[in-house]
Amino acid sequence: MAEAPVTFPLAGRRIFVTGHGGMVGSALRRRLARVDCEILTATRSEADLRRQAETEAWFEANRPDVVILAAATVGGILANSTRPAEFLYDNMMIAGNVLEASRRSGAKKVLFLGSSCIYPRLSPQPITEEALLTGPLEPTNEWYALAKIAGMKLGAAMRRQYGCDFVAAQPTNLYGPGDTYDLESSHVIPALLAKTHLAKVHGDKEVEIWGTGKPRREFLHVDDLADALIFILEHYSAELHLNVGWGEDVSIAELAGMVAETVGFKGGFRYATDKPDGMPRKLLDTTRLLNLGWRPKIGLREGLADAYQWFRKNSDQLIAS
Ligand code: GFB
């Protein structure tokens, strides 16, 4: 199938990457280095995006052409359930402030990033974009999901009411260089890489896995996500959000085996069934994005090796080994 035409070239644009220091923001800056554009960033002390006045002042002074909303308070299953107020408040405010400031300062295109947890807990698999708001959310991450749904709908409403070219992408579970390795707030891949690495270093026989190991997750390398986001900015303009994923999922037990191979850990796993499983399955249907002509490139084994290499390089700062 032929690739959809470029309708919004990024060359020559001033592009504000919010959350530039995070895993997604860093990947976006690596990807945008291949585009002849100007990348704008703001540290939290320059503009705390949870504060409306600071956000509007920054936009007034800098007037970006394009805004990518990658800033968010994020975390894995435990952080989502233990810090619900932060996950709801921070993400609601960031979305509201950045979208409104983008509109007021005349940004020509905005890309909002959601998350696959916006979909109902028991969505038919693979999950299509139409599954949104068709059933109850997964309780462990409903706070984050509600903020992301509200932000996405605000962008869509601005598109309808003011004609803004605001679009949204829904990435599946992400991993890669720059991930969070703090075990209280990390997602499963960095958690398993760190725990398995430490077990190997200490000669432990077992690594603890949270939950039953049965939930299934789809994982996308963050460099593939960044590539998809640039593709969406250039090729897509419509109200409906677009799923971004790898196309296949694995069980957490299968993932643990792959991580053990990556790290070279020969021991076994112990399942902590007092810890939550979360959504039983979360595989995105990416037919829409594939039909526009985009393809992911980095498979899970290759991606795990890359993430582990980054972890090894940075492990002194990340974790006391
Ligand atoms: O990556 P994770 O925290 O996110 O957990 P979710 C995925 C699965 O891995 C769950 C299991 O079934 C966990 O119980 N797991 C096993 C572990 N061992 C571990 C471990 O050591 N650490 C972690 N973190 N998990 C998040 C949402 O849900 O997905 C966020 O909470 C966000 O809001 C993100 O949407 C994409 O996929 O369960």
Side-chain angles (χ1 to χ4, degrees), residues 75-77 80 115 117 141 144 173 186-188 191-192 195 209-210 215 217 252 276-277 282:
I77 195 162
N80 267 266
S115 156
C117 70
N141 57 36
Y144 181 70
N173 284 40
S186 64
H187 287 96
V188 63
L192 293 191
K195 288 199 274 193
I209 309 281
W210 295 353
R217 293 290 183 272
I252 296 302
D277 269 345
K282 251 196 304 189

Short mmCIF file of all heavy atoms in Angstrom, two decimals, residues 75-77 80 115 117 141 144 173 186-188 191-192 195 209-210 215 217 252 276-277 282, ligand 1:
data_model
loop_
_atom_site.label_atom_id
_atom_site.label_comp_id
_atom_site.label_asym_id
_atom_site.label_seq_id
_atom_site.Cartn_x
_atom_site.Cartn_y
_atom_site.Cartn_z
N GLY A 75 4.02 6.25 35.50
CA GLY A 75 4.57 5.21 36.35
C GLY A 75 3.89 3.90 36.07
O GLY A 75 2.93 3.82 35.32
N GLY A 76 4.41 2.86 36.69
CA GLY A 76 3.85 1.53 36.51
C GLY A 76 2.66 1.29 37.39
O GLY A 76 2.10 2.22 37.99
N ILE A 77 2.29 0.03 37.50
CA ILE A 77 1.04 -0.36 38.14
C ILE A 77 1.00 0.06 39.62
O ILE A 77 -0.04 0.49 40.11
CB ILE A 77 0.85 -1.89 37.95
CG1 ILE A 77 -0.57 -2.31 38.25
CG2 ILE A 77 1.85 -2.71 38.73
CD1 ILE A 77 -0.92 -3.68 37.66
N ASN A 80 0.74 4.01 40.00
CA ASN A 80 -0.60 4.44 39.61
C ASN A 80 -1.60 4.22 40.74
O ASN A 80 -2.51 5.02 40.94
CB ASN A 80 -1.08 3.66 38.39
CG ASN A 80 -0.78 4.37 37.09
OD1 ASN A 80 -1.60 5.10 36.57
ND2 ASN A 80 0.43 4.18 36.57
N SER A 115 -2.52 6.88 26.20
CA SER A 115 -1.93 5.64 26.71
C SER A 115 -2.95 4.53 26.52
O SER A 115 -4.16 4.78 26.57
CB SER A 115 -1.63 5.82 28.19
OG SER A 115 -1.59 4.56 28.82
N CYS A 117 -3.98 2.48 28.47
CA CYS A 117 -4.84 2.24 29.63
C CYS A 117 -6.13 3.06 29.57
O CYS A 117 -6.98 2.93 30.44
CB CYS A 117 -4.10 2.47 30.93
SG CYS A 117 -3.72 4.17 31.25
N ASN A 141 -5.36 1.83 37.18
CA ASN A 141 -4.85 3.03 36.48
C ASN A 141 -5.95 3.97 35.99
O ASN A 141 -5.72 4.77 35.09
CB ASN A 141 -3.89 2.67 35.35
CG ASN A 141 -4.52 1.74 34.34
OD1 ASN A 141 -5.69 1.85 34.03
ND2 ASN A 141 -3.75 0.82 33.81
N TYR A 144 -5.01 7.92 36.00
CA TYR A 144 -4.18 8.32 34.85
C TYR A 144 -5.04 8.27 33.57
O TYR A 144 -5.00 9.20 32.75
CB TYR A 144 -3.01 7.35 34.75
CG TYR A 144 -2.04 7.62 33.64
CD1 TYR A 144 -1.20 8.73 33.68
CD2 TYR A 144 -1.91 6.75 32.56
CE1 TYR A 144 -0.29 8.97 32.68
CE2 TYR A 144 -0.99 6.98 31.55
CZ TYR A 144 -0.18 8.08 31.61
OH TYR A 144 0.73 8.31 30.61
N ASN A 173 2.25 -0.11 25.73
CA ASN A 173 3.30 -0.03 26.76
C ASN A 173 4.66 0.18 26.10
O ASN A 173 5.00 -0.53 25.16
CB ASN A 173 3.34 -1.33 27.58
CG ASN A 173 2.19 -1.42 28.58
OD1 ASN A 173 1.06 -1.03 28.28
ND2 ASN A 173 2.47 -1.93 29.76
N SER A 186 8.55 2.12 38.46
CA SER A 186 8.86 1.70 37.08
C SER A 186 7.78 0.79 36.49
O SER A 186 6.97 0.22 37.21
CB SER A 186 10.20 0.97 37.06
OG SER A 186 10.10 -0.21 37.83
N HIS A 187 7.84 0.66 35.18
CA HIS A 187 7.02 -0.31 34.46
C HIS A 187 7.74 -1.67 34.48
O HIS A 187 8.86 -1.78 34.95
CB HIS A 187 6.77 0.16 33.02
CG HIS A 187 5.81 1.30 32.93
ND1 HIS A 187 6.22 2.60 32.86
CD2 HIS A 187 4.46 1.33 32.94
CE1 HIS A 187 5.16 3.38 32.81
NE2 HIS A 187 4.08 2.65 32.86
N VAL A 188 7.06 -2.66 33.93
CA VAL A 188 7.56 -4.03 34.12
C VAL A 188 8.91 -4.28 33.45
O VAL A 188 9.76 -4.97 34.03
CB VAL A 188 6.49 -5.07 33.68
CG1 VAL A 188 6.16 -4.99 32.20
CG2 VAL A 188 6.93 -6.47 34.05
N ALA A 191 11.76 -2.83 35.45
CA ALA A 191 11.78 -3.52 36.75
C ALA A 191 12.41 -4.91 36.61
O ALA A 191 13.28 -5.28 37.40
CB ALA A 191 10.35 -3.65 37.29
N LEU A 192 12.01 -5.66 35.59
CA LEU A 192 12.56 -7.02 35.43
C LEU A 192 14.02 -6.99 35.02
O LEU A 192 14.81 -7.83 35.47
CB LEU A 192 11.72 -7.83 34.44
CG LEU A 192 10.29 -8.15 34.88
CD1 LEU A 192 9.66 -9.17 33.94
CD2 LEU A 192 10.23 -8.68 36.31
N LYS A 195 15.87 -6.11 38.32
CA LYS A 195 15.82 -7.16 39.34
C LYS A 195 16.63 -8.38 38.90
O LYS A 195 17.35 -8.99 39.67
CB LYS A 195 14.36 -7.57 39.60
CG LYS A 195 13.57 -6.50 40.37
CD LYS A 195 12.32 -7.05 41.02
CE LYS A 195 11.13 -7.09 40.13
NZ LYS A 195 9.85 -7.32 40.83
N ILE A 209 8.42 -11.82 40.59
CA ILE A 209 7.56 -11.23 39.54
C ILE A 209 6.24 -10.87 40.23
O ILE A 209 5.70 -11.70 40.97
CB ILE A 209 7.22 -12.26 38.44
CG1 ILE A 209 8.48 -12.93 37.90
CG2 ILE A 209 6.39 -11.64 37.33
CD1 ILE A 209 9.26 -12.13 36.94
N TRP A 210 5.75 -9.68 40.00
CA TRP A 210 4.47 -9.30 40.59
C TRP A 210 3.32 -9.98 39.86
O TRP A 210 3.36 -10.09 38.62
CB TRP A 210 4.25 -7.80 40.52
CG TRP A 210 5.23 -6.99 41.32
CD1 TRP A 210 6.18 -7.47 42.18
CD2 TRP A 210 5.35 -5.57 41.31
NE1 TRP A 210 6.89 -6.42 42.71
CE2 TRP A 210 6.41 -5.25 42.21
CE3 TRP A 210 4.70 -4.53 40.66
CZ2 TRP A 210 6.79 -3.93 42.45
CZ3 TRP A 210 5.08 -3.23 40.90
CH2 TRP A 210 6.12 -2.94 41.79
N PRO A 215 -1.01 -12.00 32.82
CA PRO A 215 -1.44 -10.88 31.97
C PRO A 215 -0.59 -10.79 30.72
O PRO A 215 0.60 -11.16 30.74
CB PRO A 215 -1.23 -9.65 32.84
CG PRO A 215 -1.18 -10.14 34.22
CD PRO A 215 -0.66 -11.55 34.17
N ARG A 217 0.91 -8.32 27.63
CA ARG A 217 1.20 -6.94 27.26
C ARG A 217 1.90 -6.90 25.91
O ARG A 217 2.68 -7.79 25.57
CB ARG A 217 2.12 -6.27 28.29
CG ARG A 217 1.52 -6.06 29.67
CD ARG A 217 0.44 -4.99 29.68
NE ARG A 217 -0.08 -4.76 31.01
CZ ARG A 217 -1.10 -5.44 31.55
NH1 ARG A 217 -1.71 -6.38 30.87
NH2 ARG A 217 -1.51 -5.15 32.77
N ILE A 252 3.43 -11.95 30.79
CA ILE A 252 4.51 -11.45 31.66
C ILE A 252 5.50 -12.58 31.96
O ILE A 252 6.71 -12.35 32.03
CB ILE A 252 3.92 -10.83 32.95
CG1 ILE A 252 3.05 -9.60 32.59
CG2 ILE A 252 5.01 -10.45 33.94
CD1 ILE A 252 3.75 -8.50 31.83
N PRO A 276 -0.86 -6.74 42.22
CA PRO A 276 -1.91 -6.74 41.19
C PRO A 276 -1.43 -7.17 39.81
O PRO A 276 -0.28 -6.95 39.45
CB PRO A 276 -2.35 -5.27 41.15
CG PRO A 276 -1.20 -4.50 41.67
CD PRO A 276 -0.46 -5.39 42.63
N ASP A 277 -2.34 -7.76 39.05
CA ASP A 277 -2.09 -8.12 37.65
C ASP A 277 -2.41 -6.95 36.71
O ASP A 277 -1.86 -6.84 35.63
CB ASP A 277 -3.00 -9.29 37.24
CG ASP A 277 -2.34 -10.64 37.46
OD1 ASP A 277 -1.10 -10.67 37.65
OD2 ASP A 277 -3.07 -11.64 37.46
N LYS A 282 -3.81 -6.22 26.82
CA LYS A 282 -3.84 -4.86 26.25
C LYS A 282 -3.10 -4.86 24.93
O LYS A 282 -1.98 -4.41 24.83
CB LYS A 282 -3.09 -3.92 27.21
CG LYS A 282 -3.95 -2.97 27.96
CD LYS A 282 -3.20 -1.82 28.59
CE LYS A 282 -2.08 -2.12 29.53
NZ LYS A 282 -1.58 -0.92 30.23
O1 GFB B 1 4.33 -2.27 33.34
P1 GFB B 1 3.23 -2.31 34.34
O2 GFB B 1 3.52 -1.66 35.65
O3 GFB B 1 1.99 -1.62 33.68
O4 GFB B 1 2.85 -3.84 34.65
P2 GFB B 1 0.48 -1.93 33.25
C1 GFB B 1 2.59 -4.76 33.64
C2 GFB B 1 2.38 -6.15 34.24
O5 GFB B 1 3.64 -6.63 34.73
C3 GFB B 1 1.41 -6.22 35.40
C4 GFB B 1 3.48 -7.15 36.03
O6 GFB B 1 0.65 -7.39 35.31
C5 GFB B 1 2.36 -6.30 36.62
O7 GFB B 1 1.77 -6.95 37.74
N1 GFB B 1 4.75 -7.10 36.77
C6 GFB B 1 5.46 -8.18 37.18
C7 GFB B 1 5.41 -5.99 37.17
N2 GFB B 1 6.54 -7.81 37.88
C8 GFB B 1 6.53 -6.45 37.89
C9 GFB B 1 7.41 -5.48 38.47
O8 GFB B 1 8.41 -5.79 39.12
N3 GFB B 1 7.11 -4.16 38.25
C10 GFB B 1 6.00 -3.78 37.53
N4 GFB B 1 5.77 -2.47 37.34
N5 GFB B 1 5.14 -4.69 37.01
C11 GFB B 1 0.46 0.64 33.31
C12 GFB B 1 -0.45 1.69 33.88
O9 GFB B 1 -0.19 -0.56 33.52
O10 GFB B 1 0.66 0.77 31.93
C13 GFB B 1 -0.08 3.05 33.42
O11 GFB B 1 -0.43 1.59 35.27
C14 GFB B 1 0.28 3.12 31.95
O12 GFB B 1 -1.15 3.88 33.68
C15 GFB B 1 1.15 1.98 31.49
O13 GFB B 1 -0.87 3.13 31.18
C16 GFB B 1 1.33 1.93 29.99
O14 GFB B 1 0.48 -2.27 31.81
O15 GFB B 1 -0.21 -2.91 34.12
#
